[in-house]
Amino acid sequence: MEGTQLLKCVLYTWGANSYGQLGQGHSEDQAEPRRADGGLQAEQTRCMAGGGGHSAVITESGELLMCGQNHKGQLGLSHTSEVITFQPCPLTGCSRVQQVSCGWDFSVILTGDGQVLVCGSNAFGQLGVSPGITHSAEPLHVKTLNEPVTSVAAGLRHALASTALVLTFSSAGFDHVTPQKVVAGSTHCICLTVKGDVFLWGSNKHGQLVSESLFLPLPVALDRSLLQGERVTDVHSGWTHLVAKTESGRVFTWGRANYGQLGQTSQRGRIVSWGWNEHGMCGDGSLCDVTQPRPIPRFRDATALLIGCGSGHSMALCSLKSNEDSAS
């Protein structure tokens, strides 16, 4: 129809690309967003995740696609060669993929029926399988998780999983709570409950656990008064900092701030980035750290549908007007 502008979806990636983790068909770093290549149909992308040097996306049909570093088999493709475009990860006999989380050199996959599959390095037991297995390029079933899992998370070298069952251990930790989501930083853990409480444990070297102790061996509830008494609806973590969204839509950040990763300004309705930018992962065309949230110039006329980050690279699924150039 004349005058009508159709919308199309494009997956952009940028930043570190030494292993092809941007899925662009090459291994050169990119300081500005560029379109990912390969067999990926961007309009079908449902979620995305990044690890130390690899990336993963899940489609609407529950198919898992992977690319990037693969020296430990973290792509689950039955080999250990690097892959520079997104390739389907065959999971024979398993239902559709619900969630994927990428650690430094391993991946944790949650299927639609609550099963957990893992691949990559097991040097620290992060796969949850036999310690005799040092790594695996084949996705392995974590058989010790005999209850349906609802959420998974991968940290630097550890993994988390939550079930729908109520957790009840000691007054110093969980006390009759139902997990909604688990999240992992490099060396710390987070659990968001269905009631909007946040529990934290692990390393507190950079204040990310909001405690006077340098280490919390058991989960401790975050004081809601620090969030103006509000219930938390979502929580995310970087290596050493946290981001929480509350019921009113406020966003709180805390933890390490040496690269400006806490961002303490607001940019509504835009795709913005900030923090460490050595490999161009902030997408502004430079390699200089960004200390405050700034709009990414390439996305001036784009609408973000999904965003994701790895250790040194970034991803964004965007909606563009059909007459815009999405090939660059």
Side-chain angles (χ1 to χ4, degrees), residues 216-253:
L216 295 178
L218 295 174
V220 175
L222 179 67
D223 186 351
R224 278 199 191 185
S225 67
L226 299 174
L227 306 177
Q228 300 182 13
E230 296 190 28
R231 181 175 62 88
V232 174
T233 57
D234 204 358
V235 63
H236 298 274
S237 180
W239 273 160
T240 49
H241 72 287
L242 281 78
V243 182
K245 180 181 177 182
T246 64
E247 54 192 325
S248 68
R250 291 187 178 92
V251 175
F252 294 83
T253 62

Side-chain angles (χ1 to χ4, degrees), residues 205-208 238-242 253-264 274-278 288-292:
K205 182 178 179 180
H206 300 282
Q208 63 265 45
W239 273 160
T240 49
H241 72 287
L242 281 78
T253 62
W254 65 94
R256 192 176 186 181
N258 59 325
Y259 291 108
Q261 54 264 58
L262 300 189
Q264 303 287 332
W274 65 96
W276 183 42
N277 198 30
E278 180 179 350
C288 300
D289 295 342
V290 179
T291 59
Q292 299 289 337

Side-chain angles (χ1 to χ4, degrees), residues 52-274:
H54 64 296
S55 303
V57 299
I58 301 174
T59 68
E60 288 290 350
S61 63
E63 183 180 27
L64 175 66
L65 296 96
M66 309 279 277
C67 69
Q69 189 176 26
N70 195 31
H71 66 305
K72 297 295 183 181
Q74 55 263 55
L75 303 187
L77 300 178
S78 302
H79 62 77
T80 55
S81 300
E82 292 175 7
V83 177
I84 58 177
T85 59
F86 282 100
Q87 300 295 322
C89 179
L91 300 173
T92 305
C94 295
S95 64
R96 65 196 309 270
V97 174
Q98 179 68 26
Q99 184 193 353
V100 60
S101 187
C102 301
W104 184 255
D105 52 9
F106 70 103
S107 304
V108 184
I109 303 161
L110 176 63
T111 68
D113 58 0
Q115 302 298 307
V116 175
L117 303 174
V118 290
C119 54
S121 174
N122 193 40
F124 297 88
Q126 61 264 53
L127 298 189
V129 297
S130 169
I133 298 174
T134 59
H135 64 280
S136 177
E138 298 271 358
L140 304 176
H141 179 212
V142 184
K143 297 179 180 179
T144 53
L145 292 171
N146 49 21
E147 302 164 2
V149 171
T150 58
S151 176
V152 294
L156 182 67
R157 294 186 175 95
H158 71 286
L160 298 171
S162 65
T163 70
L165 297 181
V166 175
L167 300 176
T168 60
F169 84 89
S170 99
S171 59
F174 294 121
D175 184 16
H176 294 83
V177 301
T178 303
Q180 175 179 312
K181 176 183 182 180
V182 286
V183 180
S186 60
T187 54
H188 64 266
C189 307
I190 308 105
C191 177
L192 173 64
T193 74
V194 295
K195 291 185 178 180
D197 290 310
V198 174
F199 286 83
L200 309 165
W201 67 100
S203 173
N204 189 41
K205 182 178 179 180
H206 300 282
Q208 63 265 45
L209 304 188
V210 198
S211 171
E212 294 181 358
S213 301
L214 288 176
F215 178 79
L216 295 178
L218 295 174
V220 175
L222 179 67
D223 186 351
R224 278 199 191 185
S225 67
L226 299 174
L227 306 177
Q228 300 182 13
E230 296 190 28
R231 181 175 62 88
V232 174
T233 57
D234 204 358
V235 63
H236 298 274
S237 180
W239 273 160
T240 49
H241 72 287
L242 281 78
V243 182
K245 180 181 177 182
T246 64
E247 54 192 325
S248 68
R250 291 187 178 92
V251 175
F252 294 83
T253 62
W254 65 94
R256 192 176 186 181
N258 59 325
Y259 291 108
Q261 54 264 58
L262 300 189
Q264 303 287 332
T265 64
S266 175
Q267 295 278 355
R268 294 182 180 273
R270 295 182 175 184
I271 304 175
V272 300
S273 63
W274 65 96

Side-chain angles (χ1 to χ4, degrees), residues 14-17 21-22 29-30 51-53 104 239 276 278-282 309-314:
W14 62 99
N17 194 36
Q21 60 262 49
L22 299 187
D29 289 2
Q30 297 294 311
W104 184 255
W239 273 160
W276 183 42
E278 180 179 350
H279 300 284
M281 56 279 252
C282 288
C309 291
S311 65
H313 65 285
S314 307

